[in-house]
Coordinates of all heavy atoms in Angstrom, one line a residue:
G1 N -60.3 29.9 34.4 CA -59.1 29.0 34.5 C -59.1 28.2 35.8 O -58.2 27.3 35.9
G2 N -60.0 28.4 36.7 CA -60.0 27.6 37.9 C -60.7 26.3 37.8 O -61.1 25.9 36.7
S3 N -60.9 25.6 38.9 CA -61.4 24.3 38.9 C -62.5 24.2 40.0 O -62.5 24.9 41.0 CB -60.4 23.2 39.2 OG -59.4 23.2 38.2
L4 N -63.5 23.3 39.8 CA -64.4 22.9 40.7 C -64.7 21.4 40.6 O -64.6 20.9 39.5 CB -65.8 23.7 40.6 CG -65.9 25.1 41.0 CD1 -67.2 25.7 40.6 CD2 -65.7 25.2 42.5
R5 N -65.1 20.8 41.7 CA -65.5 19.4 41.6 C -66.9 19.3 42.2 O -67.2 19.6 43.3 CB -64.6 18.5 42.5 CG -64.8 17.0 42.3 CD -63.8 16.2 43.1 NE -64.0 14.7 42.8 CZ -63.3 14.1 41.9 NH1 -62.4 14.7 41.1 NH2 -63.5 12.8 41.7
L6 N -67.8 18.8 41.3 CA -69.2 18.6 41.7 C -69.4 17.2 42.1 O -68.8 16.3 41.6 CB -70.2 18.9 40.5 CG -70.0 20.3 39.9 CD1 -71.1 20.5 38.8 CD2 -70.1 21.4 40.9
S7 N -70.3 16.9 43.0 CA -70.6 15.6 43.4 C -72.1 15.4 43.5 O -72.9 16.3 43.8 CB -70.0 15.3 44.8 OG -70.2 14.0 45.2
C8 N -72.6 14.2 43.2 CA -74.0 13.9 43.2 C -74.1 12.6 44.0 O -73.5 11.6 43.7 CB -74.5 13.7 41.8 SG -76.2 13.0 41.7
A9 N -74.9 12.6 45.1 CA -75.2 11.5 45.9 C -76.6 10.9 45.6 O -77.5 11.7 45.5 CB -75.1 11.8 47.4
A10 N -76.6 9.6 45.3 CA -77.9 9.0 44.8 C -78.4 8.1 45.9 O -77.7 7.2 46.4 CB -77.6 8.2 43.6
D11 N -79.7 8.3 46.2 CA -80.4 7.4 47.1 C -81.1 6.4 46.2 O -82.3 6.7 45.8 CB -81.4 8.2 48.0 CG -82.2 7.4 48.9 OD1 -81.9 6.2 49.1 OD2 -83.2 7.9 49.5
V12 N -80.5 5.3 46.0 CA -81.0 4.3 45.1 C -80.5 2.9 45.5 O -79.4 2.8 46.0 CB -80.6 4.6 43.6 CG1 -79.1 4.7 43.5 CG2 -81.2 3.6 42.6
S13 N -81.4 1.9 45.3 CA -81.0 0.6 45.7 C -80.1 -0.2 44.8 O -79.4 -1.1 45.2 CB -82.3 -0.3 45.9 OG -83.0 -0.4 44.7
A14 N -80.0 0.2 43.5 CA -79.2 -0.5 42.5 C -78.5 0.5 41.7 O -78.6 0.5 40.4 CB -80.1 -1.4 41.7
F15 N -77.6 1.3 42.3 CA -76.9 2.4 41.7 C -76.1 1.9 40.5 O -76.1 2.6 39.4 CB -76.0 3.1 42.7 CG -75.2 4.2 42.1 CD1 -75.8 5.4 41.9 CD2 -73.9 4.0 41.8 CE1 -75.1 6.5 41.4 CE2 -73.1 5.1 41.3 CZ -73.7 6.3 41.1
R16 N -75.5 0.8 40.5 CA -74.6 0.3 39.5 C -75.3 0.1 38.1 O -74.7 0.1 37.1 CB -73.9 -1.0 39.9 CG -74.7 -2.2 40.0 CD -73.9 -3.4 40.5 NE -74.7 -4.6 40.6 CZ -74.7 -5.5 39.6 NH1 -74.0 -5.3 38.5 NH2 -75.4 -6.6 39.7
F17 N -76.6 -0.1 38.1 CA -77.4 -0.3 36.9 C -77.8 1.0 36.2 O -78.2 1.0 35.1 CB -78.7 -1.1 37.2 CG -78.4 -2.5 37.6 CD1 -78.8 -3.0 38.8 CD2 -77.7 -3.3 36.7 CE1 -78.6 -4.3 39.2 CE2 -77.5 -4.7 37.0 CZ -77.9 -5.1 38.3
Y18 N -77.6 2.2 36.9 CA -78.0 3.5 36.3 C -76.9 4.1 35.5 O -75.7 4.1 35.9 CB -78.4 4.4 37.5 CG -79.7 4.2 38.1 CD1 -79.9 3.1 39.0 CD2 -80.8 4.9 37.7 CE1 -81.2 2.9 39.6 CE2 -82.1 4.7 38.3 CZ -82.2 3.7 39.2 OH -83.5 3.4 39.7
V19 N -77.3 4.6 34.4 CA -76.4 5.5 33.6 C -76.6 6.9 34.3 O -77.7 7.4 34.4 CB -76.8 5.6 32.2 CG1 -75.9 6.7 31.5 CG2 -76.6 4.2 31.5
M20 N -75.4 7.4 34.7 CA -75.4 8.7 35.4 C -74.9 9.8 34.5 O -74.0 9.6 33.7 CB -74.6 8.6 36.7 CG -75.1 7.6 37.7 SD -76.7 7.8 38.3 CE -76.5 9.4 39.1
G21 N -75.5 11.0 34.6 CA -75.0 12.1 33.8 C -75.1 13.4 34.4 O -75.7 13.6 35.5
W22 N -74.4 14.3 33.8 CA -74.5 15.7 34.2 C -75.0 16.6 33.1 O -74.6 16.4 31.9 CB -73.1 16.3 34.6 CG -72.6 15.8 36.0 CD1 -71.8 14.7 36.2 CD2 -72.9 16.3 37.3 NE1 -71.6 14.5 37.5 CE2 -72.3 15.5 38.2 CE3 -73.7 17.3 37.7 CZ2 -72.4 15.7 39.6 CZ3 -73.8 17.6 39.1 CH2 -73.2 16.8 40.0
F23 N -75.9 17.5 33.4 CA -76.5 18.4 32.4 C -76.3 19.8 33.0 O -76.1 20.0 34.2 CB -78.0 18.1 32.2 CG -78.2 16.9 31.4 CD1 -78.0 15.6 31.9 CD2 -78.7 17.0 30.1 CE1 -78.2 14.5 31.2 CE2 -79.0 15.8 29.4 CZ -78.7 14.6 29.9
R24 N -76.4 20.8 32.2 CA -76.4 22.2 32.7 C -77.4 23.1 32.0 O -77.7 22.8 30.8 CB -75.0 22.8 32.6 CG -74.4 22.9 31.2 CD -73.0 23.3 31.2 NE -72.4 23.5 29.9 CZ -71.1 23.7 29.6 NH1 -70.2 23.7 30.6 NH2 -70.7 23.8 28.3
Q25 N -77.8 24.2 32.6 CA -78.8 25.0 32.1 C -78.6 26.5 32.5 O -78.3 26.7 33.7 CB -80.2 24.5 32.5 CG -81.3 25.3 31.8 CD -82.7 24.6 32.1 OE1 -82.9 24.0 33.1 NE2 -83.6 24.7 31.1
T26 N -78.7 27.4 31.6 CA -78.7 28.8 31.9 C -80.0 29.4 31.6 O -80.8 28.8 30.8 CB -77.6 29.5 31.1 OG1 -77.8 29.3 29.7 CG2 -76.2 29.0 31.4
P27 N -80.4 30.5 32.2 CA -81.7 31.1 32.0 C -82.0 31.4 30.5 O -81.2 31.9 29.8 CB -81.7 32.4 32.7 CG -80.7 32.2 33.8 CD -79.7 31.3 33.2
G28 N -83.2 30.9 30.0 CA -83.6 31.1 28.6 C -83.0 30.1 27.7 O -83.3 30.3 26.5
K29 N -82.3 29.2 28.1 CA -81.7 28.2 27.2 C -82.2 26.8 27.6 O -82.6 26.5 28.7 CB -80.1 28.2 27.3 CG -79.5 29.5 26.8 CD -78.0 29.5 26.9 CE -77.4 28.4 26.0 NZ -75.9 28.5 26.0
Q30 N -82.1 25.9 26.6 CA -82.4 24.5 26.9 C -81.3 23.8 27.8 O -80.2 24.2 27.8 CB -82.5 23.7 25.5 CG -83.6 24.1 24.6 CD -84.9 23.5 25.0 OE1 -84.9 22.4 25.6 NE2 -86.0 24.2 24.8
R31 N -81.8 22.9 28.5 CA -80.8 22.1 29.3 C -79.9 21.3 28.4 O -80.3 20.7 27.5 CB -81.6 21.1 30.3 CG -80.7 20.5 31.3 CD -81.5 19.8 32.4 NE -82.3 20.7 33.2 CZ -83.0 20.4 34.2 NH1 -83.1 19.2 34.6 NH2 -83.7 21.3 34.9
E32 N -78.6 21.4 28.6 CA -77.6 20.9 27.8 C -76.9 19.7 28.4 O -76.5 19.8 29.6 CB -76.5 22.0 27.5 CG -75.3 21.5 26.7 CD -74.2 22.5 26.7 OE1 -74.1 23.3 27.6 OE2 -73.4 22.5 25.7
W33 N -76.8 18.6 27.7 CA -76.1 17.5 28.2 C -74.6 17.8 28.2 O -74.0 18.4 27.4 CB -76.3 16.3 27.2 CG -75.3 15.1 27.5 CD1 -75.3 14.3 28.6 CD2 -74.3 14.7 26.7 NE1 -74.3 13.4 28.5 CE2 -73.6 13.6 27.3 CE3 -73.8 15.1 25.4 CZ2 -72.5 12.9 26.7 CZ3 -72.7 14.5 24.9 CH2 -72.1 13.4 25.5
V34 N -73.9 17.4 29.3 CA -72.5 17.6 29.5 C -71.7 16.3 29.4 O -70.7 16.2 28.7 CB -72.2 18.3 30.9 CG1 -70.7 18.4 31.1 CG2 -72.9 19.7 30.9
A35 N -72.1 15.3 30.2 CA -71.3 14.1 30.2 C -72.2 13.0 30.8 O -73.2 13.2 31.5 CB -70.1 14.2 31.1
W36 N -71.9 11.7 30.5 CA -72.5 10.6 31.1 C -71.5 9.5 31.4 O -70.4 9.5 30.8 CB -73.7 10.0 30.3 CG -73.5 9.6 28.9 CD1 -73.9 10.2 27.8 CD2 -72.8 8.4 28.4 NE1 -73.6 9.5 26.6 CE2 -72.9 8.4 27.0 CE3 -72.2 7.3 29.0 CZ2 -72.4 7.3 26.2 CZ3 -71.6 6.3 28.2 CH2 -71.7 6.3 26.9
I37 N -71.9 8.6 32.3 CA -71.0 7.5 32.6 C -71.9 6.3 33.0 O -72.9 6.4 33.6 CB -70.1 7.8 33.8 CG1 -69.1 6.7 34.2 CG2 -70.9 8.2 35.1 CD1 -68.0 7.1 35.1
T38 N -71.5 5.1 32.4 CA -72.2 3.9 32.7 C -71.7 3.2 34.0 O -70.7 3.6 34.5 CB -72.1 2.9 31.5 OG1 -70.7 2.4 31.5 CG2 -72.4 3.5 30.2
G39 N -72.4 2.2 34.4 CA -72.0 1.4 35.6 C -70.7 0.8 35.4 O -70.0 0.5 36.4
G40 N -70.3 0.5 34.1 CA -69.0 0.0 33.9 C -67.9 1.0 33.5 O -66.8 0.6 33.0
D41 N -68.2 2.3 33.8 CA -67.2 3.4 33.7 C -66.9 3.8 32.3 O -65.9 4.5 32.0 CB -65.9 3.1 34.4 CG -66.1 3.0 35.9 OD1 -67.0 3.7 36.4 OD2 -65.3 2.4 36.6
S42 N -67.8 3.4 31.3 CA -67.7 4.0 30.0 C -68.2 5.5 30.1 O -69.2 5.7 30.7 CB -68.5 3.3 28.9 OG -68.0 2.0 28.8

């Protein structure tokens, strides 16, 4: 029921062109897509 805020800092010269995403993985399971966001905030 609680909350956390994760942050990702990118060392990149053209960050706005990258589609950024979050994935998650537990032992023995495939890495799972969680969310993505485009440079235009879609």
Side-chain angles (χ1 to χ4, degrees):
S3 298
L4 284 174
R5 188 177 185 92
L6 307 182
S7 185
C8 173
D11 179 13
V12 59
S13 61
F15 180 77
R16 69 184 182 93
F17 292 120
Y18 284 80
V19 175
M20 303 298 297
W22 287 96
F23 290 68
R24 63 189 183 186
Q25 188 170 29
T26 57
K29 296 180 66 178
Q30 292 283 328
R31 189 168 295 183
E32 174 191 25
W33 168 70
V34 176
W36 57 252
I37 184 168
T38 70
D41 291 336
S42 295

